[in-house]
Amino acid sequence: MSRETTDIRQEQIKKAVLDIIADEGLQNISTRNLAKRIGLSEGAIFRHFPTKRDIIKGIMDDVANDLIGSLRNIVLKPEKAEDKLFKYLCQNVKYLKENRGITMLLFSEAAHLGDKELKEKLNQILYEQKQLIIKMVKDGISEGVWDKSVNAEDIAIIYMGIPITFNIEFVLNKNGLNADNFCRRMYTLILKILKN
Amino acid sequence: MSRETTDIRQEQIKKAVLDIIADEGLQNISTRNLAKRIGLSEGAIFRHFPTKRDIIKGIMDDVANDLIGSLRNIVLKPEKAEDKLFKYLCQNVKYLKENRGITMLLFSEAAHLGDKELKEKLNQILYEQKQLIIKMVKDGISEGVWDKSVNAEDIAIIYMGIPITFNIEFVLNKNGLNADNFCRRMYTLILKILKN
DNA sequence: TACGTTTGTAAGTAAGTGATTACAATATTA
DNA sequence: TAATATTGTAATCACTTACTTACAAACGTA
């Protein structure tokens, strides 16, 4: 195998984890299988990550940066709350669709709850997402377009289930839900709760 | 260890799986740990179940019978749709709270997607739940109390996320959500979508 | 009581896991 | 160019996994 820098190898390894999860399922992300998919020896994996756990940690950091980052951008832009909500939902669903392995990896880690640090990282990701949604809702209320008697946190909770359900349907039944359509339909429902 | 019938042992084994998941996390349901918790030798486990997979299968069958059964009872009773919806939601949340291990086990199996038969069983459970919700919504529309322009399937999708989110919050943050309160708050939101 | 069936145990099995080692080949830099 | 740091490999480690085997004890029943 030709030599590559640690930076490049780390990206390859993290990508391989997500690809394997999406293609073969979670139980196949052994370091052996990982090395095989990249075309590298198993020892080389441990040249670029000290432990397997650190690979997972790296992926979680990517989610925190990429997904949360892009969602934050949407929320912070000066736009109408209704438009932001729609874009937010679509972006969220799109990201999960394009990184199918991620939801499974995240919630598997939650379910295994062996590792406090990973659990804390996941908690952080979910918390930040919730705060962004709460902010959007409150902005909409300030704009005067949404019912001020709704509890922003309740909206955040019911919202969080949407991308998760989408992902589960996607895993169980690959062509179960049309993403664009799905996005707009769920948006309509949420809006009905929010409207005056 | 004193002798017990296979029926009793099977129940003990299935219960132990769920208890271990709730207490120690999914990665600890090894046959060794299972035997230890019951106070039995590992070999005895395989006296009562041919494979570990059959234990999981047995648990899934229990869910299909117990949870889906009790939800079906609620839906089929001659009552107002609004009352049924509330009871349905509360029963669903209650069951997941009392059998904390189940949601994790189910979605872990989905994520590992190695086993077609288990995946099919999970699909069936989710499908039946969805059908029950759709029926409830359509009943409410027939009664004339709910907006007939809402898509019953969309309601089912957004509904499905609620118990899942509840469970995730419960796993990550043990006292995160008050179940009774939670139930009523989510009910209020769904009702706002459904109302004329 | 005698006999066949059921339920139990202790000690194994082969296969897979994450991680390490000793060493070779390739870059980087003085 | 010579010395050094980096990236690669093959072999192997100790450990865990689901599952099996050989045999013993307890049970129902004739």
Side-chain angles (χ1 to χ4, degrees):
Chain A
M1 196 61 188
S2 64
R3 276 172 66 106
E4 292 291 351
T5 65
T6 283
D7 284 347
I8 289 177
R9 289 292 186 217
Q10 283 182 342
E11 291 308 313
Q12 288 180 338
I13 292 166
K14 287 186 292 184
K15 183 175 186 315
V17 169
L18 294 179
D19 288 348
I20 289 173
I21 293 175
D23 295 348
E24 310 170 30
L26 251 170
Q27 84 262 53
N28 290 303
I29 50 170
S30 66
T31 50
R32 204 142 303 175
N33 196 27
L34 217 47
K36 189 177 142 205
R37 180 173 275 248
I38 305 172
L40 218 55
S41 73
E42 204 179 347
I45 301 283
F46 290 93
R47 265 266 122 77
H48 304 296
F49 282 104
T51 67
K52 186 182 169 183
R53 193 180 151 280
D54 285 280
I55 305 176
I56 309 297
K57 229 169 63 182
I59 293 174
M60 284 193 172
D61 286 336
D62 287 350
V63 177
N65 293 329
D66 301 345
L67 174 61
I68 303 298
S70 68
L71 293 178
R72 186 181 293 114
N73 270 344
I74 291 171
V75 173
L76 296 183
K77 268 199 186 119
E79 229 178 331
K80 283 197 289 180
E82 287 198 7
D83 295 338
K84 285 199 281 192
L85 179 63
F86 181 66
K87 284 181 184 168
Y88 188 99
L89 181 50
C90 292
Q91 169 65 17
N92 200 342
V93 168
K94 186 177 160 224
Y95 183 87
L96 293 183
K97 194 183 174 187
E98 287 170 357
N99 301 273
R100 233 183 329 146
I102 282 194
T103 313
M104 291 190 261
L105 180 67
L106 256 48
F107 292 110
S108 168
E109 280 308 318
H112 285 75
L113 50 69
D115 193 307
K116 294 239 169 172
E117 196 187 347
L118 293 185
K119 200 175 143 186
E120 192 40 54
K121 264 196 158 50
L122 174 57
N123 226 334
Q124 189 63 28
I125 290 172
L126 294 182
Y127 176 79
E128 286 187 32
Q129 246 186 302
K130 235 171 152 176
Q131 294 309 311
L132 288 173
I133 296 162
I134 289 173
K135 179 171 168 27
M136 255 190 311
V137 172
K138 289 187 172 165
D139 286 353
I141 294 173
S142 297
E143 287 174 23
V145 292
W146 289 342
D147 182 356
K148 58 184 162 190
S149 75
V150 299
N151 182 345
E153 203 187 332
D154 286 354
I155 300 288
I157 290 173
I158 209 169
Y159 174 91
M160 296 294 280
I162 295 175
I164 295 170
T165 303
F166 176 77
N167 202 271
I168 290 169
E169 291 267 359
F170 205 73
V171 172
L172 288 176
N173 190 356
K174 300 237 159 152
N175 305 315
L177 298 166
N178 178 310
D180 309 329
N181 230 325
F182 177 78
C183 185
R184 180 162 289 284
R185 278 156 56 199
M186 293 301 118
Y187 169 72
T188 308
L189 296 189
I190 296 283
L191 216 58
K192 212 166 166 194
I193 303 177
L194 288 168
K195 282 273 177 134
N196 273 310
Chain B
M1 197 60 188
S2 64
R3 279 171 63 105
E4 293 290 353
T5 64
T6 283
D7 284 346
I8 290 177
R9 289 293 186 216
Q10 284 182 341
E11 290 307 314
Q12 288 179 337
I13 293 166
K14 286 187 292 184
K15 184 175 185 314
V17 169
L18 295 179
D19 288 347
I20 289 173
I21 293 174
D23 295 347
E24 310 169 32
L26 251 171
Q27 84 263 50
N28 290 302
I29 49 170
S30 65
T31 50
R32 198 146 307 174
N33 196 27
L34 218 46
K36 189 178 142 206
R37 180 172 275 247
I38 304 172
L40 219 55
S41 72
E42 204 180 345
I45 301 282
F46 291 93
R47 264 267 122 76
H48 305 296
F49 282 104
T51 67
K52 186 182 170 184
R53 192 178 151 281
D54 286 281
I55 305 176
I56 309 297
K57 227 169 65 179
I59 294 174
M60 285 194 173
D61 286 336
D62 288 350
V63 176
N65 293 329
D66 301 344
L67 174 61
I68 303 299
S70 67
L71 293 178
R72 185 181 293 115
N73 270 344
I74 291 171
V75 173
L76 296 183
K77 267 198 186 119
E79 228 178 331
K80 282 195 289 180
E82 286 197 7
D83 295 338
K84 286 199 283 191
L85 179 64
F86 181 65
K87 285 180 183 169
Y88 188 99
L89 182 50
C90 291
Q91 169 65 16
N92 200 342
V93 168
K94 186 178 161 224
Y95 183 87
L96 292 183
K97 194 183 172 186
E98 287 171 357
N99 301 273
R100 232 181 332 145
I102 283 194
T103 315
M104 290 189 262
L105 181 66
L106 257 47
F107 293 110
S108 169
E109 280 308 318
H112 286 75
L113 49 71
D115 193 306
K116 293 238 170 173
E117 197 187 347
L118 294 185
K119 200 174 143 186
E120 190 42 52
K121 265 197 158 49
L122 174 57
N123 225 337
Q124 189 64 29
I125 290 171
L126 294 182
Y127 176 78
E128 285 187 32
Q129 247 186 301
K130 233 171 154 176
Q131 294 310 118
L132 288 173
I133 296 163
I134 289 172
K135 179 172 168 26
M136 255 190 309
V137 172
K138 288 188 173 167
D139 285 354
I141 293 172
S142 297
E143 286 175 22
V145 293
W146 288 342
D147 182 357
K148 58 184 163 189
S149 74
V150 299
N151 182 346
E153 204 188 332
D154 286 353
I155 300 289
I157 291 173
I158 208 168
Y159 173 92
M160 297 294 280
I162 295 176
I164 295 171
T165 304
F166 175 77
N167 202 273
I168 290 169
E169 291 267 359
F170 205 72
V171 172
L172 287 177
N173 190 355
K174 298 235 158 155
N175 304 316
L177 297 167
N178 178 310
D180 308 330
N181 229 326
F182 177 78
C183 184
R184 180 161 290 283
R185 279 157 54 199
M186 292 301 118
Y187 170 71
T188 308
L189 296 189
I190 296 283
L191 216 58
K192 211 163 167 198
I193 303 177
L194 289 168
K195 283 272 177 133
N196 274 308

